[in-house]
Amino acid sequence: YGYTANQLATALSREVGDTVPYERVRNWVRRGKITPVDADDDGTQRYSLNDALTLYNATPSRTARTA
C-alpha cells in the first residue's frame, strides 16, 4: 500500500512519534530522495512508508539523537 505525500507525512509522524511536516516529505519527493511506488487512477503518486522511515532515520540529526 502506498501513501500520498500528505498521508505519508501523517503516517510517518505516527510511526516515529514526532511531527514530520508535509513540506519535508514534499522536499524529499522533489529532490528524488523517495520515489513513487504506485499511482492512483487519477495519477496521484503514492510512496512507501518503509522508504520514508529509512530516509527519516538516515537524516544526520535523527542519527545523532538515536546514537
Side-chain angles (χ1 to χ4, degrees), residues 16 28 52-60 62-63 66:
V16 301
W28 290 345
L53 278 168
T54 298
L55 184 58
Y56 179 88
N57 288 323
T59 303
R62 306 289 174 243
T63 304
T66 58

Side-chain angles (χ1 to χ4, degrees), residues 40-64:
D40 290 343
D41 291 337
D42 65 0
T44 302
Q45 302 290 328
R46 295 199 166 262
Y47 304 91
S48 163
L49 179 57
N50 284 338
D51 290 351
L53 278 168
T54 298
L55 184 58
Y56 179 88
N57 288 323
T59 303
S61 61
R62 306 289 174 243
T63 304

Side-chain angles (χ1 to χ4, degrees), residues 3-49:
Y3 295 86
T4 65
N6 194 31
Q7 292 169 336
L8 184 60
T10 301
L12 185 58
S13 294
R14 267 185 281 179
E15 189 70 26
V16 301
D18 190 14
T19 301
V20 179
Y22 167 73
E23 292 79 18
R24 179 175 297 160
V25 173
R26 289 304 307 159
N27 284 335
W28 290 345
V29 170
R30 193 173 60 246
R31 294 177 181 154
K33 293 183 179 249
I34 57 174
T35 56
V37 294
D38 199 4
D40 290 343
D41 291 337
D42 65 0
T44 302
Q45 302 290 328
R46 295 199 166 262
Y47 304 91
S48 163
L49 179 57

